[in-house]
């Protein structure tokens, strides 16, 4: 990475991105200089200074690729290359991506733009790019072998087509696809409408991110590319909580969020405190008659969803995948449940053999966030994230929508924790407690059971106790 | 006449004295034997070997043994204890003494025979006196003394070899006992881990988190571990008792025997082949034993050539003849030579046997010389391999296992693996330590064998492959 970094010089565009050095300028005289991003932070929207105007999007923990206009054609330069992506503070992954990051930069164009994209392959194997969801000439669709020869290492290919349809798209390789997507190669594409479209509303905030998943063995850096379902890192734009930036908006902003799914399973994406409408898919804007309010939308594999809502409730609202395993970081999926298993007398015995052993899971998994214990190097803890009231006990696909009255228009800075108005936070009840009367079920089962268990089931509940014993 | 007789009697007496002196050269004492062993095998005995014959000596030995038993017994101390305490070593010394005394006997001349004859024939009374001795016996005395010296030498070398053997066995028994005791400690840890696992599984089933089969699986391992612990327990007892026997401890001493916690550290460097080779050539007990055997036979071969053919008996005779009728008396004197006639046995068989034995001894010597290098190389290879394997375990296998354990602990902390995997891994680690102890044990056994081989008592070592950590299969769940 370092030697390649030396190859490019700082360009100062898009918040710390760097452009190709003069050495390569000779070699690639006809190409736009590739711009490289070194930071995993969410970059401010790239307001267009050439071409047709549009309202730019904000890529969560990402950036938009600058372009150059060349005789009316919008020219981008993507460089496919190995990258080191910080997936969360203190946890880095060796991935493949574009222009310094995984996922690659967002490409933003306007309906009707003629777009020319140079793709340079700096990977050790061939690649190609498929422009997911676009209307384009068949030879530009990017399926290696079917539509074009694969781009060999060191080669540059050029794609050129007109962005015919406004909407939300993505790009990813279509050569050794399994490997290259498991390694993090993907990016977002947004085509803004040229003129006012009755199905596309004006919004004040427009966020986008891709859902992706990795299987990185705790203590290692490179994803296991053969994994099919048992991923251990569920990420948005190759970031995991608490590494995912919050979505900061001004009260009463109309907000659009565009989500694409390049994992191998579906993700029910859920927003607290507001209802949203699904206003678009990879097929384009949805007809108004098909829209209904909901708080969770399932983004199936290979799909895109565009949701819109009015951010009219102040506060810090959780925004996450509703598959609870997807709001966890690296963890074992084959651990026995220890809830309710009394460890008295056992811990000492085990400590004789394993001095650092501590009982975990006897009360549930929250122990994990309460005990500061060393874990393998380069591993994000399974549940983490300190909120204003303690640990959020989350990981993976989790972020926060921050709605603030005093957020400036166009300002995406994190406003900090929400200051709740007096009396609006749940609190401990301090009055008298009376023993609840147990409700006796009136009805029976729909059908009686043929065999009755030999012993009646009895649930033993252990009273909450102090943690001092652990 | 009388005077002459007297003088000839005196001459005989002088000869007898001379013979006694001559044969004295071939006599051997217990002290000689013991100090010989102590000199030859000083690296083994540290010159502390002694046979006690008096109550005082026995008490001194008992006191020395008692002093050695107050501390945990190192390998060196175990050898010292065996030297002062073991009745079988004492028996060995006594036997060696007997053997060399027998050998010394060969170098002595047979006692002369005095015969007295009284014969009456009518009036005649004849009294004959004769002092006879084997002439060849006398003539071959120097040769026989030579043979005797070789035989004594041989018996002493054999004694030394046997002492080396015994000491080697003490060393090896000590190594086995210490290793078994060390292994037992770790087997107990495996057992405890299995016990904890089984107990968690039981409580998990009680809490409703585990099915009967899952619990049974964990408990099955516990049952196995109990068997293995029992075996390890017996092994520790058996090897300790083996050592008790080698040390010759009595009922009162045996309970006092304390062993160190662990085997000694491996030497920083293994003995290099040059050093081992330089010991080998000369002075090896086995070669010298074969050499003296051959020389003794060779020496006696010349002798047999003579003695098998003839046995000449020289007799000095003085008779007294009295005739009571005439009152006459005469004293005839003279000598008699008796020769065994080689009519039936020309001694061919004896000579054949003798030359065959000499030939055998010569070839035996050659075979011993040829085998010496080879057996030493084998011993050295056993030693060197055991050293390298033990070091590999110490420097590679155990640290790697430790890394795995440390990482597993971190993984457990991160809830990437569960408690059963952690415990299974702990068992694996303990088994690796047991395997490492096994390799150390093999090294010290091979070391003792090499020491014996170097001095010329070829001892082979069988190296067994270190057992892979068992319980690896159990790590899956
Ligand atoms: Cu999900």
């Amino acid at each position: 990475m370092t030697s390649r970094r030396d190859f490019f010089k700082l360009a100062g565009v898009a918040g710390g991105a760097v452009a190709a050095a003069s050495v390569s300028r000779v070699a690639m005289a006809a190409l736009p200089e590739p711009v490289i991003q070194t930071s995993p932070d969410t970059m401010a929207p790239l307001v267009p200074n050439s071409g047709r105007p549009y309202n730019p999007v904000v890529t969560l923990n990402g950036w938009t690729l600058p372009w150059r206009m060349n005789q009316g054609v919008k020219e981008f330069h993507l460089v496919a290359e190995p990258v080191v992506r910080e997936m969360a503070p203190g946890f880095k992954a060796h991935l493949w991506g574009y222009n310094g990051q995984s996922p690659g930069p967002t490409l933003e164009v306007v309906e009707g733009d003629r777009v020319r994209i140079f793709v340079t392959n700096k990977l050790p194997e061939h690649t190609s790019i498929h422009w997911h969801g676009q209307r384009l000439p068949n030879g530009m669709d990017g399926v290696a072998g079917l539509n074009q020869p694969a781009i060999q290492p060191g080669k540059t290919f050029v794609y050129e087509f007109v962005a015919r349809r406004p909407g939300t798209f993505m790009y990813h390789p279509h050569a050794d696809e399994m490997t290259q997507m498991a390694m993090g190669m993907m990016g977002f594409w947004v085509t803004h409408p040229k003129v006012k479209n009755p199905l596309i509303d004006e919004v004040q905030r427009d966020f986008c991110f891709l859902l992706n998943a990795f299987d990185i063995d705790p203590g290692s850096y490179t994803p296991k590319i053969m994994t099919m379902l048992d991923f251990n890192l569920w990420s948005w734009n190759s970031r995991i909580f608490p590494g995912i930036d919050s979505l900061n908006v001004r009260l009463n902003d109309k907000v659009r969020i565009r989500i694409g799914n390049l994992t191998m399973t579906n993700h029910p994406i859920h927003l607290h405190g507001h209802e949203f409408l699904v206003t678009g898919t990879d097929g384009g804007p949805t007809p108004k008659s098909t829209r209904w309010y909901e708080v969770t939308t399932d983004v199936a594999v290979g799909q895109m969803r565009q949701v819109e809502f009015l951010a009219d409730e102040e506060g810090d609202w959780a925004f996450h995948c509703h598959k609870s395993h997807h709001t966890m970081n690296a963890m074992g999926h084959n651990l026995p449940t220890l809830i309710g298993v009394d460890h008295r007398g056992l811990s000492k015995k085990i400590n004789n053999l394993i001095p650092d052993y501590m009982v975990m899971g006897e009360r549930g998994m929250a122990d994990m966030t309460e005990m500061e214990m060393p874990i393998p190097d380069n591993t994000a803890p399974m549940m983490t994230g300190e909120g204003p009231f303690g640990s959020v006990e989350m990981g993976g696909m989790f972020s926060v929508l921050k709605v603030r009255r005093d957020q400036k228009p166009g300002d995406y800075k994190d406003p900090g924790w929400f200051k709740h108005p007096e009396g609006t936070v749940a609190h401990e009840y301090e009055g008298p407690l009376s023993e609840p009367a147990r409700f006796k079920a009136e009805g029976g089962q729909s059908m009686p059971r043929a065999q009755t268990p030999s012993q009646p089931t009895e649930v033993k509940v252990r009273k909450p106790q102090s943690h001092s014993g652990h | 006449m009388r005077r002459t007789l007297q003088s000839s009697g005196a001459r005989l007496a002088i000869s007898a004295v001379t013979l006694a002196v001559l044969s004295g050269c071939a006599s051997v004492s217990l002290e000689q034997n013991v100090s010989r062993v102590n000199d030859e095998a000083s690296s083994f005995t540290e010159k502390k070997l002694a046979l006690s014959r008096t109550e005082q000596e026995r008490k001194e030995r008992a006191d020395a043994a008692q002093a050695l038993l107050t501390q945990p017994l190192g390998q060196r101390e175990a050898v010292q204890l065996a030297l002062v305490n073991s009745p079988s070593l004492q028996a060995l010394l006594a036997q060696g003494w007997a053997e060399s005394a027998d050998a010394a006997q060969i170098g002595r001349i047979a006692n002369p025979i005095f015969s007295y004859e009284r014969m009456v024939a009518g009036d005649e009374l004849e009294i004959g006196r004769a002092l006879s001795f084997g002439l060849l016996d006398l003539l071959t005395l120097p040769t026989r003394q030579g043979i005797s010296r070789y035989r004594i030498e041989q018996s002493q070398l054999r004694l030394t070899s046997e002492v080396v053997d015994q000491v080697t066995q003490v060393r090896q028994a000590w190594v086995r006992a210490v290793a078994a005791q060390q292994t037992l400690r770790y087997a107990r840890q495996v057992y405890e881990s299995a016990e904890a696992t089984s107990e968690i599984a039981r409580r998990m089933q009680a809490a409703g988190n585990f099915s009967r089969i899952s619990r049974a699986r964990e408990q099955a391992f516990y049952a196995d571990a109990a068997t293995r612990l029992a075996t390890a327990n017996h092994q520790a007892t058996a090897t300790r008792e083996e050592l008790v026997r080698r040390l010759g401890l009595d009922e009162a001493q045996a309970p006092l025997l304390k062993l160190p916690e662990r085997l000694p550290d491996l030497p920083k460097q293994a003995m290099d082949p040059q050093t081992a080779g330089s010991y080998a050539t000369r002075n090896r007990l086995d070669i010298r034993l074969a050499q003296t055997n051959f020389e003794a036979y060779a020496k006696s071969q010349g002798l047999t050539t003579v003695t098998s053919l003839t046995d000449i008996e020289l007799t000095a005779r003085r008779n007294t003849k009295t005739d009571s009728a005439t009152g006459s008396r005469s004293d005839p004197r003279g000598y008699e030579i008796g020769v065994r006639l080689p009519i039936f046995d020309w001694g061919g068989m004896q000579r054949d046997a003798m030359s065959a034995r000499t030939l055998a001894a010569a070839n035996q010597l050659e075979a011993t010389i040829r085998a010496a290098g080879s057996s030493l190389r084998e011993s050295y290879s056993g030693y060197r391999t055991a050293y390298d394997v033990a070091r590999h375990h110490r420097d590679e296998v155990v640290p790697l296992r430790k890394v795995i354990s440390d990482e597993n602990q971190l993984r457990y902390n991160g809830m990437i693996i569960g408690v059963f995997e952690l415990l299974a891994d702990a068992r694996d680690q303990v088994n690796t330590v047991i395997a490492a102890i096994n390799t150390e044990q093999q090294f010290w056994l091979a070391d003792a064998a090499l020491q014996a081989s170097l001095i010329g008592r070829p001892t082979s070592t069988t190296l067994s492959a270190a057992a892979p950590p068992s319980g690896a299969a159990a790590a899956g769940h």
Side-chain angles (χ1 to χ4, degrees), chain A residues 217-218 331-332 335-339 341-344 346 349 353-354 356-358 360 365 368 373-376 382, chain B residues 189 192-193 195-196 199-200 203-204 207 209-210 407 409-420 422-423 426:
Chain A
D217 194 29
M331 65 170 190
L335 270 64
T337 301
L338 289 169
I339 293 171
V341 178
D342 187 356
H343 275 69
R344 269 172 298 188
L346 276 177
K349 187 171 272 178
L353 295 154
I354 310 166
D356 294 334
Y357 170 80
M358 286 174 91
M360 278 192 296
M365 301 304 258
M368 181 67 203
M373 288 193 291
I375 59 174
M382 165 180 162
Chain B
Q189 287 193 4
E192 278 170 14
S193 151
E195 195 182 27
E199 180 59 19
I200 296 179
R203 294 186 193 181
M204 285 190 61
N209 304 2
F210 242 20
E407 287 301 318
Q409 172 73 56
L410 297 178
R411 285 174 168 244
Y412 170 79
N413 291 350
M415 287 199 175
I416 295 152
I417 61 167
V419 61
F420 290 106
L422 189 66
L423 283 165

Coordinates of all heavy atoms in Angstrom, one line a residue, chain A residues 217-218 331-332 335-339 341-344 346 349 353-354 356-358 360 365 368 373-376 382, chain B residues 189 192-193 195-196 199-200 203-204 207 209-210 407 409-420 422-423 426:
Chain A
D217 N -11.6 -14.3 10.2 CA -11.3 -15.1 11.4 C -10.7 -14.2 12.4 O -9.7 -13.4 12.1 CB -10.3 -16.2 11.0 CG -10.2 -17.3 12.1 OD1 -11.1 -17.5 12.8 OD2 -9.1 -17.9 12.2
P218 N -11.2 -14.2 13.7 CA -10.7 -13.3 14.7 C -9.1 -13.4 14.8 O -8.6 -14.5 14.9 CB -11.3 -13.8 16.0 CG -12.6 -14.4 15.5 CD -12.3 -15.0 14.2
M331 N -18.3 -13.5 16.5 CA -18.7 -14.3 17.6 C -18.8 -15.7 17.1 O -18.9 -16.0 15.9 CB -20.0 -13.8 18.2 CG -21.2 -14.0 17.3 SD -22.7 -13.7 18.2 CE -23.9 -14.2 17.0
G332 N -18.8 -16.7 18.1 CA -19.0 -18.1 17.7 C -20.5 -18.3 17.5 O -21.3 -17.7 18.2
L335 N -21.9 -21.8 20.3 CA -21.6 -21.8 21.7 C -22.8 -22.4 22.5 O -24.0 -22.1 22.1 CB -21.4 -20.4 22.2 CG -20.0 -19.9 22.2 CD1 -19.4 -19.8 20.8 CD2 -19.9 -18.5 22.9
P336 N -22.6 -23.2 23.5 CA -23.7 -23.7 24.3 C -24.3 -22.6 25.1 O -23.7 -21.6 25.5 CB -23.1 -24.7 25.2 CG -21.6 -24.3 25.3 CD -21.3 -23.6 24.1
T337 N -25.6 -22.7 25.3 CA -26.3 -21.7 26.1 C -26.1 -22.1 27.6 O -26.3 -23.2 28.0 CB -27.8 -21.8 25.8 OG1 -28.0 -21.5 24.5 CG2 -28.6 -20.8 26.7
L338 N -25.6 -21.1 28.3 CA -25.2 -21.4 29.7 C -26.2 -20.7 30.7 O -26.0 -20.8 31.9 CB -23.8 -20.8 30.0 CG -22.7 -21.7 29.4 CD1 -21.4 -20.9 29.5 CD2 -22.6 -23.0 30.0
I339 N -27.3 -20.1 30.1 CA -28.2 -19.4 31.0 C -28.7 -20.3 32.1 O -29.2 -21.4 31.8 CB -29.3 -18.8 30.2 CG1 -28.8 -17.7 29.3 CG2 -30.4 -18.2 31.1 CD1 -29.8 -17.2 28.2
V341 N -27.1 -21.8 34.4 CA -26.2 -22.9 34.8 C -25.4 -22.4 36.0 O -24.5 -21.5 35.8 CB -25.4 -23.4 33.7 CG1 -24.5 -24.5 34.1 CG2 -26.3 -24.0 32.5
D342 N -25.6 -23.0 37.1 CA -24.9 -22.6 38.3 C -23.5 -23.0 38.2 O -23.1 -24.1 38.0 CB -25.6 -23.3 39.5 CG -25.1 -22.8 40.8 OD1 -24.1 -22.0 40.8 OD2 -25.6 -23.3 41.9
H343 N -22.6 -22.0 38.4 CA -21.1 -22.3 38.3 C -20.5 -22.4 39.7 O -19.2 -22.5 39.7 CB -20.4 -21.3 37.4 CG -20.5 -21.6 36.0 ND1 -21.7 -21.5 35.3 CD2 -19.6 -22.0 35.1 CE1 -21.5 -21.8 34.0 NE2 -20.2 -22.1 33.9
R344 N -21.3 -22.4 40.7 CA -20.6 -22.4 42.0 C -19.7 -23.7 42.2 O -20.1 -24.8 41.9 CB -21.7 -22.4 43.2 CG -22.0 -21.0 43.6 CD -23.1 -20.9 44.5 NE -24.3 -21.4 43.9 CZ -25.5 -21.4 44.4 NH1 -25.7 -20.9 45.6 NH2 -26.6 -21.8 43.8
L346 N -17.4 -24.6 40.5 CA -16.8 -25.1 39.2 C -15.7 -24.1 38.8 O -14.6 -24.5 38.3 CB -17.8 -25.2 38.1 CG -18.6 -26.4 38.1 CD1 -19.6 -26.4 37.0 CD2 -17.7 -27.6 37.8
K349 N -12.3 -24.8 40.1 CA -11.7 -26.0 39.6 C -11.2 -25.7 38.2 O -10.1 -26.1 37.8 CB -12.8 -27.0 39.5 CG -12.3 -28.4 39.1 CD -13.4 -29.4 39.2 CE -13.4 -30.1 40.6 NZ -14.4 -31.0 40.8
L353 N -6.9 -25.0 36.1 CA -6.4 -25.5 34.8 C -6.2 -24.3 33.9 O -5.2 -24.2 33.1 CB -7.4 -26.4 34.1 CG -7.6 -27.7 34.8 CD1 -9.0 -28.2 34.4 CD2 -6.5 -28.7 34.3
I354 N -7.1 -23.4 33.9 CA -7.1 -22.2 33.0 C -7.3 -21.0 33.9 O -8.4 -20.5 34.2 CB -8.3 -22.3 32.0 CG1 -8.4 -23.6 31.4 CG2 -8.3 -21.2 31.0 CD1 -9.7 -23.9 30.6
D356 N -7.1 -17.8 33.6 CA -7.8 -16.6 33.2 C -9.3 -16.9 32.9 O -10.0 -16.0 32.4 CB -7.1 -16.0 31.9 CG -5.7 -15.5 32.2 OD1 -5.5 -15.2 33.4 OD2 -4.9 -15.5 31.3
Y357 N -9.7 -18.1 33.2 CA -11.1 -18.4 32.9 C -12.1 -17.6 33.7 O -11.9 -17.5 34.9 CB -11.4 -19.9 33.1 CG -12.8 -20.3 33.0 CD1 -13.5 -20.5 31.8 CD2 -13.6 -20.5 34.2 CE1 -14.8 -20.8 31.8 CE2 -14.9 -20.8 34.2 CZ -15.5 -21.0 32.9 OH -16.8 -21.3 32.9
M358 N -13.1 -17.0 33.1 CA -14.2 -16.3 33.8 C -15.5 -16.9 33.3 O -15.6 -17.2 32.2 CB -14.1 -14.8 33.6 CG -13.0 -14.2 34.3 SD -12.9 -12.4 33.8 CE -13.9 -11.7 35.0
M360 N -18.9 -16.8 31.8 CA -19.7 -15.9 31.0 C -20.9 -16.7 30.5 O -20.8 -17.8 30.1 CB -18.8 -15.5 29.8 CG -17.9 -14.3 30.1 SD -17.2 -13.7 28.7 CE -16.3 -15.0 28.0
M365 N -25.8 -13.0 27.6 CA -24.6 -12.6 26.9 C -24.1 -11.2 27.2 O -23.1 -10.8 26.8 CB -24.7 -12.8 25.4 CG -25.1 -14.1 24.9 SD -23.9 -15.4 25.5 CE -23.0 -15.6 23.9
M368 N -20.7 -10.1 28.3 CA -19.7 -9.8 27.3 C -19.3 -8.3 27.3 O -18.1 -7.9 27.2 CB -20.2 -10.1 25.9 CG -19.3 -9.9 24.8 SD -17.9 -11.0 24.9 CE -16.7 -10.0 23.9
M373 N -12.2 -7.9 28.9 CA -11.2 -9.0 28.8 C -10.5 -8.9 27.5 O -11.1 -8.6 26.5 CB -11.9 -10.3 29.0 CG -12.4 -10.5 30.4 SD -12.9 -12.2 30.7 CE -14.3 -12.3 29.7
P374 N -9.2 -9.3 27.5 CA -8.5 -9.3 26.2 C -9.1 -10.3 25.2 O -9.5 -11.4 25.6 CB -7.1 -9.6 26.5 CG -7.2 -10.3 27.8 CD -8.4 -9.8 28.5
I375 N -9.2 -9.9 23.9 CA -9.7 -10.8 22.9 C -8.7 -10.8 21.8 O -7.7 -10.1 21.9 CB -11.1 -10.3 22.3 CG1 -11.0 -8.8 21.7 CG2 -12.2 -10.3 23.4 CD1 -12.2 -8.4 21.0
P376 N -8.8 -11.7 20.8 CA -7.7 -11.8 19.8 C -7.4 -10.4 19.1 O -8.3 -9.6 19.0 CB -8.3 -12.8 18.8 CG -9.3 -13.6 19.6 CD -9.9 -12.7 20.6
M382 N -17.7 -8.4 20.2 CA -19.0 -8.9 19.7 C -20.1 -7.9 19.9 O -21.0 -7.7 19.1 CB -19.3 -10.2 20.4 CG -20.6 -10.8 20.4 SD -20.5 -12.3 21.3 CE -22.2 -12.6 21.7
Chain B
Q189 N -4.6 -33.4 36.2 CA -5.1 -32.2 35.6 C -6.1 -32.5 34.5 O -7.2 -31.8 34.4 CB -4.0 -31.2 35.1 CG -3.2 -30.6 36.2 CD -2.4 -29.5 35.7 OE1 -2.5 -29.1 34.5 NE2 -1.6 -28.9 36.6
E192 N -9.2 -33.6 36.2 CA -9.9 -32.5 36.8 C -10.7 -31.7 35.7 O -11.8 -31.3 35.9 CB -9.0 -31.5 37.5 CG -8.7 -32.1 38.9 CD -7.6 -31.3 39.6 OE1 -7.3 -30.2 39.1 OE2 -7.1 -31.8 40.6
S193 N -10.0 -31.5 34.6 CA -10.7 -30.8 33.5 C -11.9 -31.5 33.0 O -13.0 -31.0 32.8 CB -9.7 -30.5 32.3 OG -10.4 -30.5 31.1
E195 N -13.5 -33.7 34.7 CA -14.5 -33.7 35.8 C -15.3 -32.3 35.7 O -16.6 -32.4 35.8 CB -13.8 -33.8 37.1 CG -14.6 -34.1 38.3 CD -13.8 -34.1 39.5 OE1 -12.8 -33.4 39.6 OE2 -14.2 -34.9 40.4
A196 N -14.6 -31.2 35.5 CA -15.3 -29.9 35.5 C -16.3 -29.9 34.3 O -17.4 -29.5 34.4 CB -14.3 -28.8 35.3
E199 N -19.3 -31.9 34.9 CA -20.1 -31.3 35.9 C -20.9 -30.1 35.3 O -22.1 -30.0 35.5 CB -19.3 -30.8 37.1 CG -20.1 -30.1 38.2 CD -21.2 -31.0 38.8 OE1 -21.1 -32.2 38.7 OE2 -22.1 -30.4 39.4
I200 N -20.2 -29.4 34.4 CA -21.0 -28.3 33.7 C -22.1 -28.9 32.9 O -23.2 -28.5 32.9 CB -20.1 -27.5 32.8 CG1 -19.0 -26.7 33.6 CG2 -20.9 -26.4 32.0 CD1 -18.1 -25.9 32.8
R203 N -25.0 -29.9 35.0 CA -25.8 -28.7 35.4 C -26.5 -28.1 34.2 O -27.6 -27.6 34.4 CB -24.9 -27.7 36.1 CG -24.3 -28.2 37.4 CD -23.5 -27.1 38.1 NE -22.7 -27.7 39.2 CZ -22.0 -27.0 40.0 NH1 -21.9 -25.7 39.9 NH2 -21.3 -27.6 41.0
M204 N -25.9 -28.2 33.0 CA -26.6 -27.7 31.8 C -27.8 -28.5 31.5 O -28.8 -28.0 31.2 CB -25.6 -27.7 30.6 CG -24.6 -26.5 30.8 SD -23.7 -26.2 29.3 CE -24.9 -25.8 28.1
A207 N -30.4 -27.5 33.9 CA -31.0 -26.2 33.6 C -31.8 -26.3 32.4 O -32.5 -25.3 32.0 CB -29.9 -25.2 33.5
N209 N -30.6 -26.8 29.3 CA -29.8 -26.3 28.1 C -29.2 -27.4 27.3 O -28.7 -27.1 26.2 CB -28.7 -25.3 28.6 CG -29.3 -24.2 29.4 OD1 -30.5 -24.1 29.7 ND2 -28.4 -23.3 29.8
F210 N -29.1 -28.6 27.9 CA -28.4 -29.7 27.2 C -29.3 -30.9 27.1 O -30.0 -31.2 28.1 CB -27.1 -30.0 28.1 CG -25.8 -29.8 27.4 CD1 -25.7 -29.0 26.3 CD2 -24.7 -30.5 27.9 CE1 -24.5 -28.8 25.7 CE2 -23.5 -30.3 27.2 CZ -23.4 -29.4 26.1
E407 N -4.5 -18.1 22.6 CA -5.4 -17.6 21.6 C -6.8 -18.1 21.9 O -7.8 -17.4 21.7 CB -5.0 -18.0 20.2 CG -3.8 -17.2 19.7 CD -4.0 -15.6 19.7 OE1 -5.1 -15.2 19.3 OE2 -3.1 -14.9 20.1
Q409 N -8.0 -18.8 24.8 CA -8.5 -18.0 25.9 C -9.1 -16.7 25.4 O -10.2 -16.3 25.8 CB -7.4 -17.8 26.9 CG -7.7 -16.8 28.0 CD -8.7 -17.4 29.1 OE1 -8.3 -18.5 29.6 NE2 -9.8 -16.9 29.3
L410 N -8.4 -16.1 24.5 CA -8.8 -14.8 23.9 C -10.2 -15.0 23.2 O -11.1 -14.2 23.2 CB -7.8 -14.2 23.0 CG -6.5 -13.8 23.6 CD1 -5.5 -13.3 22.6 CD2 -6.7 -12.8 24.7
R411 N -10.2 -16.1 22.5 CA -11.4 -16.5 21.7 C -12.6 -16.7 22.7 O -13.7 -16.4 22.4 CB -11.2 -17.7 20.8 CG -10.4 -17.3 19.6 CD -10.0 -18.4 18.7 NE -9.5 -17.8 17.5 CZ -10.0 -17.9 16.3 NH1 -11.1 -18.7 16.2 NH2 -9.5 -17.3 15.3
Y412 N -12.3 -17.4 23.7 CA -13.3 -17.6 24.7 C -13.8 -16.3 25.3 O -15.0 -16.0 25.4 CB -12.8 -18.5 25.9 CG -13.8 -18.6 27.0 CD1 -14.9 -19.4 27.0 CD2 -13.6 -17.8 28.2 CE1 -15.8 -19.4 28.0 CE2 -14.5 -17.8 29.2 CZ -15.6 -18.6 29.1 OH -16.5 -18.7 30.1
N413 N -12.8 -15.4 25.6 CA -13.2 -14.0 26.1 C -14.1 -13.3 25.1 O -15.0 -12.6 25.5 CB -11.9 -13.2 26.3 CG -11.1 -13.7 27.4 OD1 -11.5 -14.6 28.2 ND2 -9.9 -13.1 27.5
G414 N -13.8 -13.5 23.8 CA -14.6 -12.8 22.8 C -15.9 -13.6 22.4 O -16.6 -13.2 21.5
M415 N -16.2 -14.6 23.2 CA -17.3 -15.5 22.9 C -17.3 -16.0 21.5 O -18.4 -16.1 20.8 CB -18.6 -14.7 23.2 CG -18.9 -14.6 24.7 SD -20.6 -14.2 25.1 CE -20.5 -14.3 26.9
I416 N -16.1 -16.4 21.0 CA -16.0 -17.0 19.7 C -16.0 -18.5 19.9 O -16.5 -19.2 19.0 CB -14.7 -16.5 19.0 CG1 -14.9 -15.0 18.8 CG2 -14.4 -17.2 17.7 CD1 -13.6 -14.2 18.8
I417 N -15.5 -18.9 21.0 CA -15.6 -20.4 21.4 C -16.3 -20.5 22.7 O -16.2 -19.5 23.5 CB -14.3 -21.1 21.3 CG1 -13.3 -20.5 22.3 CG2 -13.7 -21.1 19.9 CD1 -12.1 -21.4 22.6
G418 N -16.8 -21.6 23.1 CA -17.4 -21.8 24.3 C -16.6 -22.5 25.3 O -15.4 -22.9 25.1
V419 N -17.1 -22.7 26.5 CA -16.4 -23.3 27.6 C -15.9 -24.7 27.4 O -14.8 -25.1 27.8 CB -17.2 -23.2 29.0 CG1 -18.4 -23.9 28.9 CG2 -16.3 -23.6 30.1
F420 N -16.7 -25.5 26.6 CA -16.3 -26.8 26.4 C -15.1 -26.9 25.5 O -14.2 -27.7 25.7 CB -17.5 -27.6 25.8 CG -18.6 -27.9 26.8 CD1 -19.8 -27.1 26.7 CD2 -18.4 -28.8 27.8 CE1 -20.8 -27.3 27.6 CE2 -19.4 -29.0 28.7 CZ -20.6 -28.3 28.6
L422 N -12.9 -24.6 25.3 CA -11.8 -24.1 26.1 C -11.2 -25.2 27.0 O -10.0 -25.4 27.1 CB -12.3 -22.9 27.0 CG -11.2 -22.2 27.7 CD1 -10.3 -21.5 26.7 CD2 -11.8 -21.2 28.7
L423 N -12.1 -26.0 27.6 CA -11.7 -27.1 28.4 C -11.0 -28.2 27.6 O -10.0 -28.8 28.0 CB -12.8 -27.6 29.2 CG -13.2 -26.7 30.4 CD1 -14.6 -27.1 31.0 CD2 -12.2 -26.8 31.5
A426 N -7.7 -27.1 27.0 CA -6.8 -27.2 28.1 C -6.3 -28.7 28.3 O -5.1 -28.9 28.6 CB -7.6 -26.8 29.4

